[in-house]
Amino acid sequence: MKQFLKIFKVAFQAINKNRTRSILTMLGIIIGVAAVIMTISAGEGATQQVQDQISGLGTNLLMISTKEEHRGGINVRMGRPIEKKDLDILQKSSVWMSKISPLVAIGAQVIGAAGYVSTTVYGVSNQYFDILSREIVSGNAFTAEDVTTARKFCVIGETIREEIFPGQDPIGRQIRINKVPFTVVGLLKEEGEGTMGQDQDDIVIAPYTTVQNRLFGHRRGYNMIMASALSEDHILDAEIEATELLRESHRILDQDEDDFEITTQIELQEITGNVTGILTIILGAIASISLIVGGIGIMNIMLVSVTERTREIGTRLAIGARESDILTQFLIEAIVLSLTGGILGIILGIIGNQIIFKATGFYIPTVAYSVLIGFGFAVLVGVVFGYFPARKAAKLNPIDALRYE
Amino acid sequence: MPTKKVIETKKVSRVFRNGDIEVHALTDVDLIIEEGEFVALMGASGSGKSTFLNILGCLDQPTSGEYYLDNVHVNKLDKNQLADIRNQKIGFIFQSYNLLSRTTALENVELPLVYDRTGRFSNSKEIAIKALGQVGLQDRIYHKTNELSGGQQQRVAIARALVNDPTLILSDEATGNLDSKASIDIADLFVRLNNKGKTIVMITHEPEIAQFAKRMIYMRDGRILTDEIIKDRSTKESALKDLELTS
Ligand SMILES: Nc1ncnc2c1ncn2[C@@H]1O[C@H](COP(=O)(O)OP(=O)(O)OP(=O)(O)O)[C@@H](O)[C@H]1O
Ligand SMILES: [Mg+2]
């Protein structure tokens, strides 16, 4: 124990005497650790952001649409359109779906007090707001009765309000959608950009009956039917149920394929999971490269100093150091440098994440496993390259270590 | 008066192998050195002096033969025991000093005590300062190696060799890098250490330095050629006078 303390002191002396080498070694470790933490965390942050936005789409979402096939650059509708009788059968018989709304979309010109704007008008039922978790900040959503009676009411998004009623309360105001007069009854809570970067506030929502009758001139089909499952656990049940009901409604024979498609949130998450998975792989590759670069840096410094250190080891052996004394000294040196460098690297990584957050607003959570990977690797490299050359030298005959060139 | 054998070698040989080439650096060397002797080891370059001294200093092992140091059969010891022998019984001085760079004289001299496992030394700093005093460097204790002259660095190395109170001091061309005046000072230092009872073996190329010793061994081709007592030993005064006459 006394011997260990003496060697401990020797190790600290050695670190101190060779300050430049010590600092360069630590720098390699610091940069390696910080780079790993920042890249992995950035990947994780991006993944989380995308997933949050998908969950924000409305929980337990199912989307039922006509089967389309991509042919020569255009989408060709393959199956029967989704229409009123499909909606009716779902509403009447479904047990796993709590809310159901059709959706018809049409591009339209909207004219308000301050000007006009081109946007998409969505025709939906009053349940749409619950399905997609869209809140009304001012006024009200239209009611089920408004839908049945096809009243010319609409709810608008913040982007639309800014264009046509800048700085004004839009509730109760008249607007014209493709020349048809509507009354604004509600204003949507701002949502910002969606998963695919689209503006979720550039929207006008009206009863689907009104949109079908007034804007399309008696169109029968829907773009899709949206529904929410009773709970997240029942999405699969709901999907199976919807499939059965629609096959019945479309009179599809047992051996024939579905002529419609059901997209659930799980599938969406899988798709974006793939995208963010690729992102994480790319960032992981960058992190590995920075680790390798940091590792090579550390290795270089260690190798450059091998001659000097081998002679130092020779000197120590010549005056009576045991092999174990040398090994202990170099192990302590390597551990102290790697740990210090590793901890400073963690601090730098966390600060770096904060700086990126402050500068870009992109929130990067410092994930625990990035800290572990970065720290573990750095300590490993530090110890391996600090310890093993020393071990080799300590096994030499003292005179060979002294003569080393 | 019965004397004690500090060194005894029996048919010590050292062969270096580099691939197919064999160099017989040392062949069947028999030698006895007793306590209190001061031996100068001379010979042409490549005659095997360093090879022999390294074996005596337990820095290297003979290929064959036996070596007894203080009646201990060194060839039978393991690595740790050899390290302890180097630490406790031998003070080795190199031509190139082999001090730790960027380190003070004091820290360099204290170093052997770091590896001492006998617990003989209670206050290593005090002992190291005393050793530096013995070589006349009491006012250079906190100077770093690179702030000292060659002669001063060699004296730090000698202080380091003395600090653990060794039985045997071995010096491989300690004065090889120094000028005549500094060399004479070092030789004189050896004489004084020898007068205090230290056994010394020093390699040198300079006859005037060898003349300070009591016994001279001349080597050639890895064997001892001559081994004789020096009759008219130099002193510091006589050597300095000779130096003045020649210059
Ligand atoms: N590590 C080694 N590998 C191979 N040959 C060696 C080694 N060390 C010494 N020799 C050879 O052994 C012989 C004796 O070398 P040594 O160093 O003992 O000579 P020396 O008498 O000390 O010479 P010098 O006065 O030049 O120092 C030389 O021929 C040398 O080339
Ligand atoms: Mg030599």
Side-chain angles (χ1 to χ4, degrees):
Chain A
M1 193 57 213
K2 190 160 163 267
Q3 187 61 20
F4 181 79
L5 286 179
K6 285 198 277 183
I7 302 295
F8 203 75
K9 207 177 135 206
V10 165
F12 270 88
Q13 259 178 14
I15 290 174
N16 201 22
K17 302 286 173 200
N18 306 296
R19 216 163 289 149
T20 316
R21 184 177 64 214
S22 306
I23 288 172
L24 286 176
T25 309
M26 279 202 295
L27 211 61
I29 293 175
I30 291 171
I31 291 170
V33 173
V36 170
I37 291 178
M38 288 176 68
T39 40
I40 293 182
S41 296
E44 206 62 29
T47 311
Q48 260 182 36
Q49 206 172 27
V50 170
Q51 268 164 3
D52 284 354
Q53 280 171 346
I54 291 173
S55 330
L57 264 182
T59 45
N60 323 327
L61 180 69
L62 285 98
M63 292 183 286
I64 303 156
S65 53
T66 308
K67 191 171 230 163
E68 286 182 344
E69 217 164 77
H70 210 65
R71 274 195 196 152
I74 49 163
N75 288 333
V76 181
R77 203 171 69 194
M78 298 296 289
R80 241 168 293 192
I82 307 290
E83 49 189 26
K84 181 96 173 68
K85 74 171 171 66
D86 301 322
L87 181 65
D88 288 342
I89 194 169
L90 286 175
Q91 275 171 337
K92 201 173 76 207
S93 326
S94 169
V95 288
W96 294 117
M97 286 173 266
S98 57
K99 306 238 160 44
I100 300 169
S101 165
L103 184 138
V104 284
I106 183 169
Q109 198 177 54
V110 178
I111 303 172
Y116 67 90
V117 62
S118 292
T119 186
T120 311
V121 175
Y122 291 98
V124 295
S125 83
N126 55 311
Q127 293 189 339
Y128 171 87
F129 300 97
D130 286 334
I131 295 171
L132 286 190
S133 318
R134 297 230 46 174
E135 288 171 42
I136 309 282
V137 282
S138 174
N140 291 300
F142 43 81
T143 62
E145 200 200 321
D146 296 335
V147 175
T148 332
T149 55
R151 296 187 64 175
K152 288 179 278 180
F153 283 174
C154 71
V155 172
I156 63 174
E158 184 58 32
T159 307
I160 302 292
R161 187 194 66 82
E162 268 168 31
E163 290 290 334
I164 58 176
F165 296 115
Q168 302 168 30
D169 181 10
I171 308 303
R173 305 284 292 265
Q174 290 284 316
I175 61 170
R176 284 173 174 273
I177 302 175
N178 284 355
K179 299 198 181 95
V180 181
F182 279 73
T183 307
V184 179
V185 294
L187 178 67
L188 285 169
K189 188 178 159 202
E190 224 176 322
E191 285 275 302
E193 275 184 15
T195 321
M196 313 300 166
Q198 80 281 21
D199 181 359
Q200 299 186 89
D201 302 312
D202 182 6
I203 189 174
V204 174
I205 300 168
Y208 71 94
T209 44
T210 322
V211 172
Q212 279 183 315
N213 295 340
R214 300 293 180 146
L215 299 182
F216 278 107
H218 302 285
R219 171 179 157 171
R220 283 175 57 224
Y222 311 134
N223 293 59
M224 65 168 83
I225 291 173
M226 296 176 122
S228 54
L230 277 179
S231 81
E232 214 167 309
D233 303 333
H234 295 125
I235 291 183
L236 210 59
D237 295 319
E239 188 177 352
I240 293 166
E241 180 184 62
T243 308
E244 278 169 6
L245 292 174
L246 257 86
R247 285 181 72 92
E248 193 183 307
S249 163
H250 284 193
R251 296 180 214 287
I252 296 170
L253 299 174
D254 281 351
Q255 67 270 23
D256 288 342
E257 282 182 29
D258 298 346
D259 64 350
F260 53 90
E261 272 174 338
I262 300 179
T263 313
T264 63
Q265 212 191 340
I266 294 173
E267 285 153 18
L268 257 177
Q269 256 167 355
E270 269 168 17
I271 293 166
T272 46
N274 286 342
V275 173
T276 52
I278 291 167
L279 194 69
T280 308
I281 289 169
I282 291 170
L283 286 170
I286 296 172
S288 317
I289 290 169
S290 41
L291 271 183
I292 290 167
V293 170
I296 290 174
I298 297 168
M299 203 167 75
N300 261 333
I301 295 157
M302 298 293 189
L303 288 181
V304 164
S305 60
V306 144
T307 310
E308 191 193 334
R309 298 233 82 178
T310 304
R311 288 185 175 199
E312 179 195 325
I313 290 170
T315 304
R316 290 179 186 277
L317 290 172
I319 59 173
R322 290 186 183 181
E323 194 182 314
S324 62
D325 292 332
I326 305 285
L327 294 186
T328 312
Q329 177 197 336
F330 277 76
L331 198 60
I332 294 172
E333 278 187 46
I335 290 176
V336 167
L337 287 182
S338 318
L339 285 188
T340 321
I343 290 169
L344 290 178
I346 292 176
I347 294 172
L348 184 71
I350 293 174
I351 291 176
N353 282 348
Q354 295 295 326
I355 289 173
I356 290 181
F357 177 49
K358 291 265 154 61
T360 66
F362 176 50
Y363 175 65
I364 303 176
T366 304
V367 281
Y369 80 90
S370 72
V371 174
L372 287 180
I373 292 178
F375 192 73
F377 179 85
V379 170
L380 190 76
V381 168
V383 170
V384 165
F385 289 111
Y387 178 72
F388 283 93
R391 201 174 89 123
K392 212 175 124 199
K395 284 196 184 303
L396 291 175
N397 242 348
I399 200 68
D400 293 327
L402 277 171
R403 284 217 190 104
Y404 186 86
E405 259 154 23
Chain B
M1 188 178 86
T3 44
K4 199 174 123 196
K5 283 186 241 171
V6 176
I7 288 171
E8 180 171 17
T9 64
K10 292 179 180 167
K11 291 196 175 306
V12 160
S13 299
R14 180 68 166 100
V15 182
F16 291 106
R17 277 193 194 83
N18 273 331
D20 292 343
I21 308 159
E22 276 193 358
V23 180
H24 293 260
L26 221 51
T27 314
D28 294 342
V29 177
D30 293 319
L31 180 69
I32 293 177
I33 292 175
E34 289 173 346
E35 196 171 27
E37 284 204 71
F38 182 7
V39 179
L41 193 55
M42 295 194 71
S45 186
S47 55
K49 307 182 294 290
S50 294
T51 306
F52 190 43
L53 203 72
N54 291 338
I55 289 172
L56 296 184
C58 299
L59 297 174
D60 194 11
Q61 292 291 315
T63 319
S64 63
E66 294 160 29
Y67 170 34
Y68 297 87
L69 173 67
D70 248 359
N71 293 316
V72 175
H73 192 178
V74 168
N75 318 122
K76 291 234 162 81
L77 301 179
D78 66 23
K79 275 184 119 180
N80 284 345
Q81 289 169 317
L82 283 173
D84 291 351
I85 290 240
R86 288 196 294 269
N87 187 248
Q88 292 157 24
K89 299 203 166 170
I90 295 166
F92 208 107
I93 301 155
F94 304 89
Q95 180 176 359
S96 52
Y97 324 133
N98 284 331
L99 298 173
L100 296 188
S101 49
R102 299 180 284 271
T103 306
T104 62
L106 180 63
E107 286 166 334
N108 265 294
V109 175
E110 271 189 285
L111 207 54
L113 305 179
V114 167
Y115 302 115
D116 176 73
R117 285 174 154 84
T118 61
R120 293 184 285 168
F121 309 102
S122 50
N123 189 334
S124 62
K125 190 170 168 187
E126 204 172 88
I127 295 162
I129 290 174
K130 214 176 110 201
L132 279 163
Q134 264 183 291
V135 298
L137 284 178
Q138 52 283 345
D139 51 354
R140 294 283 189 280
I141 327 182
Y142 293 111
H143 283 243
K144 296 199 174 135
T145 16
N146 53 322
E147 297 161 359
L148 296 170
S149 73
Q152 288 170 332
Q153 289 188 46
Q154 193 58 290
R155 281 196 245 177
V156 173
I158 295 172
R160 185 180 65 187
L162 291 174
V163 76
N164 50 351
D165 192 26
T167 332
L168 181 62
I169 290 180
L170 303 172
S171 154
D172 192 346
E173 296 188 49
T175 60
N177 288 350
L178 305 178
D179 65 18
S180 308
K181 172 74 177 59
S183 300
I184 290 170
D185 284 342
I186 299 281
D188 180 54
L189 182 57
F190 283 154
V191 172
R192 281 187 280 131
L193 291 171
N194 179 242
N195 289 343
K196 284 184 194 158
K198 295 275 178 234
T199 310
I200 301 176
V201 180
M202 74 171 179
I203 295 178
T204 180
H205 277 288
E206 300 148 277
E208 53 272 28
I209 296 299
Q211 210 62 27
F212 278 81
K214 292 176 178 166
R215 174 182 172 188
M216 183 158 81
I217 294 172
Y218 201 91
M219 291 185 71
R220 180 185 287 169
D221 297 335
R223 293 170 198 271
I224 292 176
L225 192 69
T226 63
D227 181 354
E228 53 202 23
I229 303 295
I230 297 174
K231 293 190 188 81
D232 48 341
R233 290 180 67 196
S234 292
T235 59
K236 186 175 179 180
E237 291 71 36
S238 68
L240 284 174
K241 205 184 284 168
D242 289 346
L243 185 62
E244 267 172 45
L245 287 177
T246 49
S247 60

